[in-house]
Amino acid sequence: MDNQLKFTDIISEALQKQHRKSDLSTFEYTYKAEITNIHRLTEMENLYRIQIIDTEERRQFIFQPGQFLMLELPGIGEAPFSISSSPARHGDVELCIRKAGNLTNFLSRVGRGTHVGIRGPFGTNFPMEKMHGQNILLVAGGLGLAPLRSAISYAQDNRSRFNSVDIIYGAKDPSQLLFTYQYDMWRADDIGLSIIVDKPDSSWKGPVGLVTKILEQMFSERGNPFFKSTYAIVCGPPVMFKFVCNMLNQKDIPMQKMFVSLERRMHCGMGKCCRCNVGSTYTCLNGPVFDYWTVMNLKEAI
Amino acid sequence: MIFRVFAREELKKLFDAMASKNKIVGPVEIARDHNGKPLFAFNEVNSFNDIKLDYTTTKLSAKKYFLPYKEDLAAFRMDENDWQKKVDYNISEPFIFFGLHACDINALNKLDKVLMGSVYPMPYYAAKRKNMFIVGIDCTPQPYCFCRSMGADTALHGFDMFITDIGEKYFVEILSDTAFNFLKNIRTAEPIEADHIHYMKVASEKNKKFTAHVDTTDLTKILDMEFQSDVWKQWGEKCLACGSCSKACPTCYCYGVEETVDINLRGAKKTKKLYSCNLIDFAEVAGGHNFRPERHVRLKYRYYHKHRGFVEAYEESLCVGCGRCGEACLANITVPEVIASVRGEEN
Ligand SMILES: Cc1cc2nc3c(=O)[nH]c(=O)nc-3n(C[C@H](O)[C@H](O)[C@H](O)COP(=O)(O)OP(=O)(O)OC[C@H]3O[C@@H](n4cnc5c(N)ncnc54)[C@H](O)[C@@H]3O)c2cc1C
Ligand code: SF4
Ligand code: SF4
Ligand code: FES
């Protein structure tokens, strides 16, 4: 016998473009995409419209509201961002990105036409189909509106499938409000929208306080039967969703009908780097969207 | 399973047959500690005489060969407004591990579950794993070894052949066809009853030598119940948050990814670096929020991942009981002591 071992070459498999979760080649596969537009939303946040360049790949990029992708700028970094656009638009996505560090600050300085890499979509989603025939209550605090916007688009695209659709949105001050240009469109699609700010400026005419204030108002206006057939999606800082979910639970919305999105440090999105673990749960695989019951049962979640 | 025995002097011939055409990695002595005891490491070896088959435990596991501390995941070539990504799994030839202990083979088997399981298998690991040929070797339990408690004192699979010293002969278990063929290079024989008896004697002698133990009964539940226990704070006060434990551990695989631009600005790299959950910024996010700011919370998390999370996912612990983390720890934090204290047992 010849004593030389045979080399197993798995890189040749990588050349085949397959993107199933079980394929080795999926791991580092990046869709090349182009930033086709940058819309300045506030001083801190921009909305990036990013299109996968290959039309076939763009069409095949299927995601659900609540899922995220990994955005990569070669040499600068890679980070997770919630997809903020309608799932009907496939791989022509919008990401609402806040300047927070290395990559995000760099992104705020690039122009249209920049080529970026996309991996994903990753993670769990808001179960929109399960919510058909019910009311949906979408509660957002601050940047939490970014992932919610995809669910809102879904509701707009499928308005007849839902009863009431209500958004409650809270921001620190009026200058931080995101997607102001869309509020009228949402209302036109018969989506209730209440906005509240914590620190008003002189021109602010709306309510002042926290989202819970609007929620209390809603509790007094609508009866228990309404909440019995309601799903809730709550996105925002942990303190906020904890308060909101506990309030909603008192209105007999079961914890399994409330969904939240958790944010953790992520370096892979595929259950390998362990940076996103909450207790022993991977936020990137088992989340970021969890029902509130699951979150309550996660060690170190909130 | 196929068994064979061969005379002691045949082992060198087996090594030479393997080494003639393949890269071999094995345990070697690299230095002596202040007590004059040898320190071992896994390194590439060219000669049979360099290998120390009666080594105790290497300070660091063999993971630099399957989970390098630093590894490029991809390289980019940058042009004007565009870039090309090139992925390389960083291995070009197969290699032989000559002399892995059962704990280290079990560590690979455990890593296989997460890194080569059905969800997003990791090609960087898989490419190396699929190109390693493993010769296991029996060992003598050291004072810090508790592999028996973790069910990792014998390896059932994950190797090609496993050699046990039974006195005048070596007893070998053969798991792969390749191993069987390699053995054709030397003179082997079917074991006779006396060989079986010698083998069993060696095994039972070995069992008697274990002094460190961990009680894993109901451990997942106990870890949950004692999640808020003050014992974690006590360990946290000792812990230096240095990450040496993870560095030495054969099953710690957590990492971080960084990108850098080459000096000539014409290329860039995406680099993976093994990390430790005991390091301060493990769970820190942009904006400065840290989900595990305290040392005891991070230390607890490491135990939680190994002894609870992994058990929940794969019905077995991620710890093989090699004792390396305890040996590496400057604060003398050892798994048997930590688990005993969480269980409320006096040491
Ligand atoms: C599921 C999910 C969805 C997100 N959606 C959005 C969104 O829609 N809009 C938005 O502005 N931000 C979002 N974030 C946060 C965003 O990922 C961070 O702002 C971003 O990682 C900061 O990267 P940086 O390089 O600028 O910061 P640096 O501090 O330089 O971070 C370095 C690296 O650490 C990791 N990291 C740091 N902070 C975070 C964090 N908060 N979350 C995850 N990884 C982090 C990343 O790998 C990052 O590249 C989301 C995070 C998660 C987990
Ligand atoms: S945790 Fe410690 S004893 Fe367990 S496998 Fe890792 S280094 Fe070995
Ligand atoms: S347990 Fe020991 S080795 Fe691990 S981080 Fe703490 S001091 Fe360092
Ligand atoms: S992001 Fe790497 S494991 Fe979840």
Side-chain angles (χ1 to χ4, degrees):
Chain A
M1 103 123 197
D2 175 14
N3 288 330
Q4 186 162 19
L5 296 178
K6 206 174 135 278
F7 179 62
T8 311
D9 185 14
I10 62 172
I11 203 160
S12 58
E13 291 171 27
L15 299 173
Q16 302 159 13
K17 281 190 201 168
Q18 286 171 329
H19 310 293
R20 280 175 294 144
K21 277 188 184 177
S22 58
D23 290 339
L24 285 162
S25 54
T26 308
F27 199 86
E28 232 355 275
Y29 187 79
T30 325
Y31 296 106
K32 193 180 282 183
E34 178 172 331
I35 299 179
T36 54
N37 194 29
I38 302 170
H39 182 156
R40 189 173 183 277
L41 295 177
T42 71
E43 200 184 325
M44 294 302 288
E45 285 100 6
N46 285 327
L47 184 70
Y48 297 84
R49 185 154 176 181
I50 298 173
Q51 200 173 61
I52 294 177
I53 293 170
D54 184 281
T55 48
E56 189 51 29
E57 284 187 340
R58 191 190 313 154
R59 196 180 58 79
Q60 282 177 4
F61 188 89
I62 294 169
F63 70 92
Q64 299 293 325
Q67 287 194 290
F68 67 95
L69 51 71
M70 294 296 272
L71 180 70
E72 176 170 35
L73 211 50
I76 308 299
E78 183 179 48
F81 298 97
S82 302
I83 306 174
S84 196
S85 47
S86 163
R89 295 215 332 230
H90 293 243
D92 182 4
V93 297
E94 283 173 329
L95 307 178
C96 169
I97 298 180
R98 171 178 291 175
K99 288 185 250 178
N102 231 357
L103 172 71
T104 48
N105 277 313
F106 196 93
L107 269 175
S108 73
R109 292 194 296 269
V110 304
R112 277 184 196 157
T114 303
H115 284 185
V116 295
I118 284 178
R119 292 193 297 118
F122 295 118
T124 51
N125 56 280
F126 306 121
M128 302 309 293
E129 281 173 24
K130 260 201 209 164
M131 303 180 191
H132 287 173
Q134 299 252 325
N135 306 310
I136 39 179
L137 179 59
L138 306 143
V139 188
L143 194 54
L145 191 61
L148 264 195
R149 184 166 169 266
S150 181
I152 297 170
S153 306
Y154 181 95
Q156 286 177 288
D157 294 345
N158 301 276
R159 189 60 192 88
S160 61
R161 308 234 162 118
F162 302 99
N163 293 331
S164 292
V165 179
D166 291 281
I167 304 169
I168 303 177
Y169 173 36
K172 206 167 261 154
D173 61 66
S175 75
Q176 295 191 12
L177 289 172
L178 299 167
F179 304 113
T180 45
Y181 63 97
Q182 289 201 300
Y183 300 164
D184 288 341
M185 272 144 36
W186 292 344
R187 290 193 175 107
D189 278 330
D190 191 26
I191 293 173
L193 174 64
S194 318
I195 298 169
I196 186 161
V197 300
D198 201 17
K199 299 199 172 62
D201 58 15
S202 53
S203 65
W204 181 252
K205 295 193 188 61
V208 175
L210 303 172
V211 284
T212 45
K213 191 167 163 186
I214 307 269
L215 206 56
E216 270 161 17
Q217 227 170 322
M218 194 173 207
F219 283 178
S220 61
E221 286 163 17
R222 302 190 197 182
N224 283 355
F226 173 84
F227 292 101
K228 279 225 152 57
S229 50
T230 296
Y231 271 91
I233 303 178
V234 188
C235 290
V239 263
M240 174 243 165
F241 70 63
K242 196 172 156 188
F243 260 100
V244 170
C245 290
N246 289 343
M247 275 177 78
L248 292 173
N249 194 232
Q250 282 160 24
K251 275 285 165 191
D252 284 343
I253 300 190
M255 293 195 212
Q256 279 110 329
K257 286 176 77 176
M258 298 180 214
F259 295 89
V260 302
S261 179
L262 295 191
E263 193 179 317
R264 284 297 183 279
R265 188 166 184 147
M266 292 186 178
H267 281 258
C268 73
M270 301 178 289
K272 298 292 173 278
C273 73
C274 296
R275 302 302 283 269
C276 69
N277 281 29
V278 181
S280 51
T281 301
Y282 292 94
T283 309
C284 64
L285 294 178
N286 311 110
V289 175
F290 292 96
D291 67 41
Y292 192 55
W293 168 255
T294 307
V295 171
M296 293 279 291
N297 283 289
L298 287 181
K299 294 258 181 287
E300 30 166 60
I302 17 184
Chain B
M1 201 171 288
I2 301 174
F3 303 114
R4 283 286 186 279
V5 286
F6 57 83
R8 298 190 75 83
E9 60 273 16
E10 295 292 317
L11 189 59
K12 181 181 181 309
K13 286 189 212 150
L14 179 64
F15 177 93
D16 290 342
M18 290 178 171
S20 67
K21 286 187 180 163
N22 303 289
K23 171 174 145 180
I24 299 201
V25 172
V28 296
E29 185 181 321
I30 43 160
R32 297 254 160 181
D33 70 6
H34 54 276
N35 297 319
K37 284 216 248 154
L39 298 172
F40 299 103
F42 290 107
N43 271 340
E44 204 173 322
V45 279
N46 297 315
S47 151
F48 182 69
N49 296 329
D50 294 341
I51 286 206
K52 292 280 177 286
L53 285 178
D54 57 351
Y55 74 111
T56 51
T57 309
T58 54
K59 282 281 157 194
L60 299 178
S61 76
K63 78 181 163 188
K64 67 175 169 185
Y65 293 101
F66 43 87
L67 288 175
Y69 292 101
K70 190 172 170 219
E71 174 170 31
D72 287 337
L73 298 181
F76 297 92
R77 209 187 61 236
M78 329 273 255
D79 312 318
E80 285 288 295
N81 288 318
D82 202 10
W83 46 262
Q84 300 306 325
K85 182 174 186 175
K86 194 172 170 296
V87 172
D88 187 347
Y89 300 147
N90 309 314
I91 180 162
S92 54
E93 53 170 354
F95 69 101
I96 294 173
F97 266 130
F98 200 95
L100 275 193
H101 288 163
C103 59
D104 286 339
I105 295 171
N106 281 308
L108 281 163
N109 290 341
K110 287 173 195 289
L111 287 175
D112 288 352
K113 299 203 165 161
V114 251
L115 302 179
M116 297 207 304
S118 58
V119 183
Y120 302 117
M122 190 176 208
Y124 303 87
Y125 174 82
K128 295 170 189 88
R129 185 71 170 112
K130 286 186 179 181
N131 281 298
M132 57 175 84
F133 176 94
I134 296 177
V135 182
I137 188 105
D138 70 318
C139 52
T140 310
Q142 302 300 308
Y144 46 80
C145 294
F146 58 98
C147 53
R148 189 158 170 76
S149 302
M150 306 315 295
D153 55 328
T154 51
L156 300 177
H157 61 99
F159 57 87
D160 293 88
M161 63 170 102
F162 199 101
I163 298 172
T164 305
D165 184 344
I166 56 165
E168 277 158 34
K169 297 178 196 165
Y170 285 109
F171 185 94
V172 58
E173 272 172 71
I174 305 160
L175 280 200
S176 76
D177 181 34
T178 325
F180 189 81
N181 282 325
F182 270 131
L183 284 165
K184 287 180 184 161
N185 289 283
I186 63 168
R187 257 180 307 169
T188 64
E190 293 272 353
I192 53 171
E193 191 55 28
D195 297 323
H196 293 170
I197 291 167
H198 284 138
Y199 181 89
M200 289 184 276
K201 192 150 169 276
V202 167
S204 79
E205 290 292 315
K206 177 181 169 185
N207 286 347
K208 286 186 206 136
K209 288 188 186 133
F210 284 104
T211 51
H213 301 279
V214 166
D215 183 359
T216 57
T217 323
D218 275 343
L219 188 55
T220 53
K221 265 179 247 168
I222 291 166
L223 285 170
D224 264 1
M225 288 190 280
E226 299 303 321
F227 196 74
Q228 302 298 351
S229 164
D230 278 342
V231 302
W232 291 116
K233 292 212 178 76
Q234 290 159 21
W235 290 114
E237 253 150 49
K238 287 181 150 197
C239 176
L240 308 166
C242 63
S244 304
C245 43
S246 308
K247 184 156 191 195
C249 178
T251 62
C252 274
Y253 59 89
C254 306
Y255 64 87
V257 174
E258 277 171 23
E259 304 213 0
T260 45
V261 181
D262 298 347
I263 298 175
N264 63 12
L265 303 179
R266 311 225 91 239
K269 276 191 187 68
K270 182 176 191 179
T271 310
K272 161 182 180 249
K273 285 184 184 160
L274 289 194
Y275 218 68
S276 168
C277 51
N278 275 327
L279 298 176
I280 185 151
D281 61 347
F282 186 83
E284 188 180 291
V285 293
H289 183 71
N290 194 332
F291 286 95
R292 291 189 206 103
E294 298 119 333
R295 275 173 299 168
H296 79 270
V297 177
R298 296 195 296 275
L299 184 78
K300 173 165 73 179
Y301 167 76
R302 181 160 183 272
Y303 279 81
Y304 213 75
H305 183 190
K306 297 246 181 232
H307 298 274
R308 191 203 177 286
F310 202 81
V311 185
E312 186 182 44
Y314 302 104
E315 323 262 338
E316 59 178 85
S317 163
L318 183 58
C319 172
V320 294
C322 67
R324 284 189 179 95
C325 56
E327 288 296 292
C329 180
L330 292 172
N332 287 319
I333 301 175
T334 71
V335 179
E337 284 184 70
V338 171
I339 302 286
S341 73
V342 174
R343 300 186 75 101
E345 289 161 11
E346 291 296 320
N347 257 78

